[in-house]
């Protein structure tokens, strides 16, 4: 086995081990709301009969809560696992770790084919330990599994374009790309580097290739059918929600500046960003690197057009692979210019440390239990609220309270609370609460992030005091039980 392959295996083992740290952490980190929604869908599958085509969330109050989502194979598999192992957070998280692990050899071999062995080792190192990637590849979310499948699909497609007799690679590529787009629609961007590879190999005769048309059909038709179905579900059932809706929106220059800052500082780290930029420039005339350049251009355009969606950093996960590949290429070029072995070893150690330390600090911040107050409130409600009780949660659209309470209810505000959680004034909030009480709400909960509403909106505070009783209060949350309407 080549020394570079041995090093790649060692890096992969270390990367997987790093992701197993706190693998059983509750869904209370910085991405709690997205994971709690996916986890709720999994639990509802397990509890309500595994109706695959109708995923359910918990914040639809007295309604079933069917929503339009990505192809829900991940929560469905988690629900099946619950029947064997019980309900545990690690079951959802481990899916991302497994698929991330499967993507590692594909990514290494893909970069090695394009930029060489040394570049592939550096690229794998950056891919393994970029802060955004560390976080995403141990979360109960579809983003990293989808990206891992797209990397595998790109690798197998590259193998097929190099040798058209590799029918197995062609089939695996089509299936991986199809499942990738099903799991996360934004992964359709992988079509750009795929097209780059196809045109490199076939030029304009690619349009006449029957195999490529078959590939496109396998990759795209299942997703078209599923997302059409998901949209229909979102139109038919309350809360009429389609995951990712509203993301296509041009934002202000300040918003894009903040996205750029996050990419540079905390998602890639400054070192990886700068190395990637150097690699992009140095390889600008390399024909084999053209698919990677096209992928980067597509991502930049995607960030601009889907500006509102990119308020969530996981939308930018493909930048890790792109910058890791170009960063690895830059490292290989620098190494070729250093002939002294001692200097080369010292530069390597310095480079590893300069990347690893900021990556560790940025990743650790993402692990912080920012949603712990919501989980604690949910666990109290699970203990004190009747099984059929309906909750109202002032939670800024984060369903963590509902998930850990194992109760259904509504976000407060009920209308667009997941997008714009703060009321305009007391009158709006009171009308909202009155409507929810009429629909059967019996408990009202404020987290530490929203308890200030009761003082800032004075009339709302008076309404809550007059129409409910405080049943539990801590520094993290306040739980009220509404008075029965017959006694008013």
């Amino acid at each position: 086995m080549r020394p570079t392959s041995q090093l790649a295996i060692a890096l992969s083992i270390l990367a997987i081990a790093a992701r197993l740290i706190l693998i059983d952490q509750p869904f209370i980190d910085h991405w709690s709301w997205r994971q709690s929604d996916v986890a709720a869908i999994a639990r509802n599958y397990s509890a309500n009969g595994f109706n695959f085509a109708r995923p359910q969330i918990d914040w639809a109050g007295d309604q079933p809560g069917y929503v339009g989502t990505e192809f829900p194979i991940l929560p469905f598999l988690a629900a099946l696992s619950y029947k064997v192992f019980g309900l545990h957070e690690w079951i959802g998280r481990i899916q991302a770790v497994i698929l991330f692990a499967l993507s590692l050899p594909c990514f290494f071999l893909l970069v090695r084919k394009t930029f060489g062995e040394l570049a592939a080792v550096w690229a794998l190192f950056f891919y393994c330990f970029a802060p955004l990637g560390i976080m995403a590849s141990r979360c109960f979310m579809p983003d990293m599994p989808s990206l891992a499948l797209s990397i595998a699909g790109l690798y197998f497609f590259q193998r097929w374009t190099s040798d058209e007799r590799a029918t197995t690679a062609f089939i695996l590529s089509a299936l991986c790309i199809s499942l990738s787009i099903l799991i996360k629609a934004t992964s359709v961007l992988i079509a750009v580097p795929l097209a780059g590879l196809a045109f490199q190999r076939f030029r304009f005769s690619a349009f006449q290739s029957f195999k490529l048309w078959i590939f496109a059909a396998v990759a795209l038709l299942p997703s078209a059918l599923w997302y059409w179905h998901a949209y229909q579900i979102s139109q038919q059932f309350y809360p009429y929600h389609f995951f990712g809706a509203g993301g296509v929106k041009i934002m202000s220059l300040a918003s894009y500046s903040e996205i750029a800052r996050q990419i540079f500082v905390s998602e890639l780290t400054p070192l990886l960003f700068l190395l990637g930029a150097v690699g992009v420039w140095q390889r600008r005339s390399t024909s084999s690197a053209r698919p990677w350049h096209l992928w980067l251009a597509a991502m930049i355009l995607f960030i601009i057009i889907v500006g509102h969606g990119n308020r969530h950093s996981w939308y930018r996960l493909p930048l890790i692979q792109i910058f890791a590949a170009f960063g690895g290429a830059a490292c290989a070029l620098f190494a070729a210019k250093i002939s002294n072995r001692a200097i080369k070893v010292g530069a390597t150690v310095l480079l590893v440390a300069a990347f690893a330390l900021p990556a560790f600090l940025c990743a650790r911040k993402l692990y912080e239990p920012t949603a712990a107050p919501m989980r604690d409130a949910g666990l109290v409600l699970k203990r004190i609220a009747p099984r059929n009780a309906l909750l109202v949660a002032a939670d800024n659209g984060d369903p963590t309270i509902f998930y850990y309470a194992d109760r259904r209810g509504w976000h407060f505000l009920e209308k667009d609370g997941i997008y714009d959680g703060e009321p305009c004034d007391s009158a709006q909030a009171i009308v909202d609460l009155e409507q929810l009480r009429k629909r059967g709400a019996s408990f009202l909960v404020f987290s530490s992030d929203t308890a200030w509403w009761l003082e800032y909106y004075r009339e709302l505070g008076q309404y809550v005091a007059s129409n409910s009783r405080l049943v539990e209060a801590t520094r993290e949350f306040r739980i009220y039980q509404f008075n029965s309407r017959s006694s008013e």
Side-chain angles (χ1 to χ4, degrees), residues 9 115 172 224 245 277 307 344 372 377 416 439 447 466:
I9 292 172
F115 298 119
L172 287 174
K344 187 176 292 187
D416 292 332
R439 293 166 65 178
S447 73
S466 301

Side-chain angles (χ1 to χ4, degrees), residues 191-203:
V192 175
L194 286 170
L197 285 170
F199 276 98
Q200 274 187 344
R201 174 65 180 83
F202 302 106
R203 302 299 179 183

Side-chain angles (χ1 to χ4, degrees), residues 216-253:
V218 172
L220 298 175
L221 284 180
S223 296
L225 291 172
W226 172 260
Y227 287 111
W228 177 83
H229 163 77
Y231 177 75
Q232 297 304 313
I233 291 292
S234 72
Q235 296 298 298
Q236 295 173 25
F237 297 98
Y238 177 88
Y240 311 110
H241 184 69
F242 189 81
F243 278 54
V248 180
K249 181 180 178 182
I250 303 295
M251 303 298 286
S252 66
L253 184 60

Side-chain angles (χ1 to χ4, degrees), residues 135-184:
M135 181 63 174
S137 55
R138 39 85 67 190
C139 283
F140 193 8
M141 295 168 53
D143 301 81
M144 179 53 77
S146 175
L147 183 60
L149 288 165
S150 68
I151 291 170
L154 185 61
Y155 164 68
F156 287 120
F157 190 80
Q158 184 274 327
R159 282 187 57 186
W160 175 73
T161 56
S162 299
D163 180 6
E164 292 184 59
R165 296 171 297 177
T167 304
T168 302
F170 177 83
I171 295 171
L172 287 174
S173 177
L175 293 177
C176 285
I177 297 299
S178 180
L179 189 54
S180 170
I181 300 171
L182 276 166
I183 292 176
K184 189 74 177 182

Side-chain angles (χ1 to χ4, degrees), residues 430-445:
I430 292 170
V431 168
D432 200 83
L433 276 183
E434 267 296 300
Q435 292 175 346
L436 295 178
R437 288 184 69 199
K438 291 177 182 178
R439 293 166 65 178
S442 54
F443 285 86
L444 171 65
V445 55

Side-chain angles (χ1 to χ4, degrees), residues 119-131:
V121 172
W122 278 110
L124 185 67
F125 170 64
F126 295 136
Y127 175 40
C128 285
F129 299 107

Side-chain angles (χ1 to χ4, degrees), residues 426 430 453-463:
S426 289
I430 292 170
W453 292 8
L454 297 170
E455 296 182 3
Y456 184 82
Y457 303 102
R458 292 186 179 180
E459 291 83 0
L460 171 63
Q462 294 169 359
Y463 172 88

